[in-house]
Amino acid sequence: KADDLANAVQNGITIDDNETSTIMKAQSLKKQAEVFATNGNYKMAISLQNAVLSIYSMYADSIGIANAYNRLSNYNYHDGDIDKAIHHCQKSIAIYSRNNAPKTDIAQAYNSMSIYQYYANNYGDALKDVTYAIQLYNEENDTTSSLYAKALTNAALYHYAMGDIDKAIDMALHSYDLQKQVLGEGHPDNVMNLFNIAHYYYTKKDYDNLHVYFHKAIQQQSDLVRKNF
């Protein structure tokens, strides 16, 4: 049924005269896309999300269109199509900006864009995008959330890629401290951050701090494995 609905919408067939009912179907398709994405079937998720985009486009729902492009870019990224991910994320950002969307939504889109630019080896653009995302979070005083911490983690990675190791360490440590407060010491996101920090210290040949953060990472990773297996 999801396939039939996706095909119907993409072929321009009006599937319902009632806007509310049709939008509800779009929301159902969005949920189904999320399920497929969770199971690693990104091509099906993309197909369904394109149907969602078509429905919101039928009703000129600007924020719905922007959200659909944003999700589509994420599925493109996981499916390995970085160019499409960048293209769709750019569309999302443009629509959010034209329609005065909440700054935190725009910040999240810019943070996503930074990831896509990083994997396209556009490190300068990645750093510029995440820096703007961080600025927007600061303007909204949203500096104690996990999303803000993740932007800091990404910024650290991009500074490292561009050779500024000291800046990378500063931002990664800030992110790690914030994530501990928001998510708790043993959260899986902290393990990745700890390994990153250890690697940055390794590059600096600061072996004392390397050992501290590497052993913390190993310990937390071992704890997670014991709790989940």
Side-chain angles (χ1 to χ4, degrees):
K1 290 182 179 178
D3 276 338
D4 291 343
L5 185 54
N7 291 332
V9 175
Q10 289 171 348
N11 289 328
I13 300 170
T14 302
I15 58 173
D16 203 315
D17 291 330
N18 184 301
E19 178 177 346
T20 300
S21 175
T22 305
I23 293 297
M24 287 177 65
K25 288 176 182 176
Q27 293 169 349
S28 176
L29 281 170
K30 182 189 75 170
K31 292 293 185 185
Q32 291 178 59
E34 291 171 357
V35 171
F36 279 108
T38 299
N39 289 323
N41 190 342
Y42 292 106
K43 293 194 185 310
M44 189 62 190
I46 289 167
S47 176
L48 293 171
Q49 193 61 38
N50 273 317
V52 173
L53 176 60
S54 296
I55 291 174
Y56 284 119
S57 297
M58 284 167 56
Y59 295 105
D61 183 335
S62 296
I63 297 301
I65 293 168
N67 289 337
Y69 272 127
N70 201 5
R71 287 178 179 276
L72 189 56
S73 71
N74 180 264
Y75 299 152
N76 291 141
Y77 161 69
H78 285 287
D79 194 45
D81 195 335
I82 302 298
D83 289 341
K84 277 190 179 178
I86 291 173
H87 176 68
H88 287 142
C89 196
Q90 286 171 335
K91 284 181 173 289
S92 172
I93 288 170
I95 298 169
Y96 280 142
S97 299
R98 284 199 305 269
N99 289 274
N100 297 315
K103 287 184 179 180
T104 50
D105 288 350
I106 300 174
Q108 285 178 245
Y110 268 101
N111 189 37
S112 295
M113 176 66 86
S114 77
I115 297 170
Y116 310 150
Q117 294 286 12
Y118 174 79
Y119 282 100
N121 297 319
N122 301 326
Y123 301 141
D125 288 336
L127 183 57
K128 181 177 71 174
D129 288 334
V130 81
T131 299
Y132 187 57
I134 291 169
Q135 176 186 322
L136 291 175
Y137 282 126
N138 276 294
E139 288 176 6
E140 290 295 285
N141 293 317
D142 185 5
T143 57
T144 58
S145 68
S146 177
L147 290 172
Y148 179 73
K150 287 178 180 178
L152 294 176
T153 298
N154 290 338
L157 182 63
Y158 310 151
H159 278 295
Y160 176 78
M162 296 185 71
D164 192 343
I165 300 171
D166 289 332
K167 187 70 173 177
I169 290 172
D170 287 344
M171 300 202 85
L173 288 173
H174 185 182
S175 172
Y176 174 58
D177 288 341
L178 181 54
Q179 289 281 56
K180 283 193 298 181
Q181 296 173 36
V182 175
L183 301 175
E185 180 78 35
H187 194 275
D189 284 357
N190 290 334
V191 175
M192 180 193 71
N193 225 343
L194 287 167
F195 276 121
N196 284 349
I197 294 167
H199 183 72
Y200 302 154
Y201 278 122
Y202 172 77
T203 304
K204 278 195 73 173
K205 298 183 179 179
D206 183 343
Y207 299 120
D208 289 340
N209 277 312
L210 159 65
H211 291 151
V212 169
Y213 287 97
F214 183 76
H215 285 299
K216 277 187 179 181
I218 292 294
Q219 182 62 55
Q220 289 193 22
Q221 188 176 58
S222 299
D223 290 344
L224 286 168
V225 169
R226 279 195 295 270
K227 288 177 183 176
N228 291 285
F229 294 96

